[in-house]
Amino acid sequence: MATENKNLSHYDKTTIPDASNFRFGIVVSEWNDAITEALYQGAYDALVDNGVLPNNIIRWNVPGSFELIYGSKKMQEQMVNAVIAIGSVIQGETKHFDFVCEGVTQGIKDLNVQNETPVIFCVLTDNTLEQAQARSGGKHGNKGTEAAIAAIKMAELRNNS
């Protein structure tokens, strides 16, 4: 497992670009909201910890993870330096899991290829609720924190290119 020997919440603050002049959009799925709210909090806290002003963080909610694509596309139009797409898809008894995971992954990839504003993929695709909890503030840390750090680095890359 990719997170077995890594805590998603750990980062070296000295390696993070100055984010005080950046604006970020965070699009949050309402599905599996206990997980997505924890991911959001990890992202928000990391952004603020790295100098982002709270009023430079825009949050929009969407019904589910599949809707993250459209929400992120519209968020790219809001003069933000990067977008974080937060969702959680947990394996069920049908192939719905596969279709949603594939669609969201490809949709976020397409937004990154087609547009100038980076979209960070913070969608947990876990087999169990316990795995999702472990990655949203549990024993593996918080993927939202990791996504925020990636967003800052990508905003800096965009700013310098």
Side-chain angles (χ1 to χ4, degrees), residues 79-150:
M79 303 295 291
V80 295
N81 297 96
V83 176
I84 303 170
I86 294 178
S88 173
V89 186
I90 300 172
Q91 177 73 58
E93 297 176 0
T94 69
K95 293 188 65 73
H96 183 74
F97 173 86
D98 298 326
F99 299 132
V100 171
C101 293
E102 179 70 18
V104 174
T105 301
Q106 293 303 317
I108 299 297
K109 180 266 301 173
D110 290 345
L111 292 175
N112 278 303
V113 171
Q114 296 166 0
N115 301 304
E116 290 299 313
T117 303
V119 180
I120 307 304
F121 186 86
C122 183
V123 180
L124 298 182
T125 57
D126 296 302
N127 291 320
T128 66
L129 176 60
E130 293 74 26
Q131 287 176 341
Q133 291 168 332
R135 290 157 182 80
S136 60
K139 69 179 181 178
H140 292 301
N142 193 315
K143 185 74 173 170
T145 302
E146 184 183 64
I149 299 307

Side-chain angles (χ1 to χ4, degrees), residues 26 38-48 57 84 86 142 144-145 147-148:
I26 305 178
L39 293 169
Y40 169 78
Q41 196 61 55
Y44 180 88
D45 290 346
L47 291 173
V48 171
I57 302 170
I84 303 170
I86 294 178
N142 193 315
T145 302

Side-chain angles (χ1 to χ4, degrees), residues 17-22 50-53 56:
D18 178 15
S20 60
N21 291 318
F22 290 145
N50 284 282
V52 179
L53 299 173
N56 283 336

